[in-house]
């Protein structure tokens, strides 16, 4: 339908296929209304301890988690992939019913997580794209490429 509208509009026709000397601006308001504004909003970051709680920033989400008894920033993470694994590990643990108060002890005892935890638990997990805001991460790809 969009293609047909564009084709008609470029041929001097309105959305209904009628000849028009100009496109009716009243109909354009429907395209720029509140329904389209949601697409322009910044993606929300889900809290680790309660994924239904959404925040504008990673810091706000992690502050909420800390108030619940789990401080992700206190966990030892040295590289990006380790951070991804940790976030997914915690999300899976919460989905499996682990309480926030138990997560800190679990994270402290985890030495290394396997690569299965690279697969996101939440679809389009915004926290994963903002890990640099949370941890001071080293670029692991450079050291892997040079062998140092």
């Amino acid at each position: 339908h969009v293609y047909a509208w564009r084709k008609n509009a470029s041929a001097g026709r309105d959305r209904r296929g009628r000849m028009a000397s100009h496109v009716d601006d009243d109909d354009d308001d429907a395209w720029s209304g509140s329904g389209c504004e949601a697409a322009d909003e910044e993606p929300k970051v889900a809290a680790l301890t309660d994924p239904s709680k959404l925040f504008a920033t990673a810091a706000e989400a992690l502050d909420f988690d800390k108030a619940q008894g789990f401080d992700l920033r206190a966990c030892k993470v040295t590289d990006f992939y380790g951070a991804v694994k940790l976030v997914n590990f915690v999300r899976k643990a919460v989905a499996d019913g682990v309480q926030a108060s138990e997560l800190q002890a679990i994270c402290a005892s985890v030495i290394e997580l396997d690569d299965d935890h690279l697969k996101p638990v939440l679809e389009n997990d915004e926290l994963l794209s903002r890990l640099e805001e949370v941890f001071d991460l080293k670029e692991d790809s450079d050291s892997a490429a040079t062998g140092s």
Side-chain angles (χ1 to χ4, degrees):
H1 292 80
V2 173
Y3 172 75
W5 173 81
R6 286 185 181 154
K7 183 177 175 186
N8 286 339
S10 65
R13 298 178 184 271
D14 67 10
R15 291 189 184 112
R16 294 175 192 87
R18 298 176 299 204
M19 290 300 292
S21 59
H22 68 280
V23 176
D24 187 5
D25 289 337
D26 291 339
D27 286 344
D28 289 338
D29 290 339
W31 293 92
S32 63
S34 61
C36 293
E37 290 172 14
D40 295 334
E41 283 184 23
E42 190 72 23
K44 301 293 185 195
V45 179
L48 288 165
T49 56
D50 184 351
S52 69
K53 304 287 188 198
L54 302 176
F55 299 89
T57 67
E60 290 173 356
L62 297 181
D63 287 344
F64 173 84
D65 291 330
K66 188 174 182 177
Q68 304 307 306
F70 175 66
D71 185 4
L72 180 71
R73 292 172 272 215
C75 297
K76 302 259 188 268
V77 175
T78 58
D79 64 22
F80 176 77
Y81 293 109
V84 169
K85 290 177 189 180
L86 180 60
V87 167
N88 290 323
F89 173 81
V90 170
R91 291 220 188 270
K92 175 124 178 46
V94 168
D96 290 343
V98 175
Q99 298 300 308
S101 58
E102 300 172 86
L103 288 172
Q104 207 69 53
I106 293 170
C107 286
S109 67
V110 172
I111 295 175
E112 183 155 335
L113 295 167
D114 60 35
D115 288 346
D116 291 343
H117 294 291
L118 287 171
K119 182 180 180 203
V121 174
L122 287 183
E123 187 176 329
N124 299 321
D125 191 345
E126 186 64 20
L127 182 57
L128 295 177
S129 67
R130 298 184 187 198
L131 288 172
E132 291 81 18
E133 296 174 24
V134 178
F135 297 107
D136 181 27
L137 299 175
K138 311 273 186 285
E139 268 303 320
D140 197 39
S141 59
D142 291 341
S143 62
T146 60
S148 56

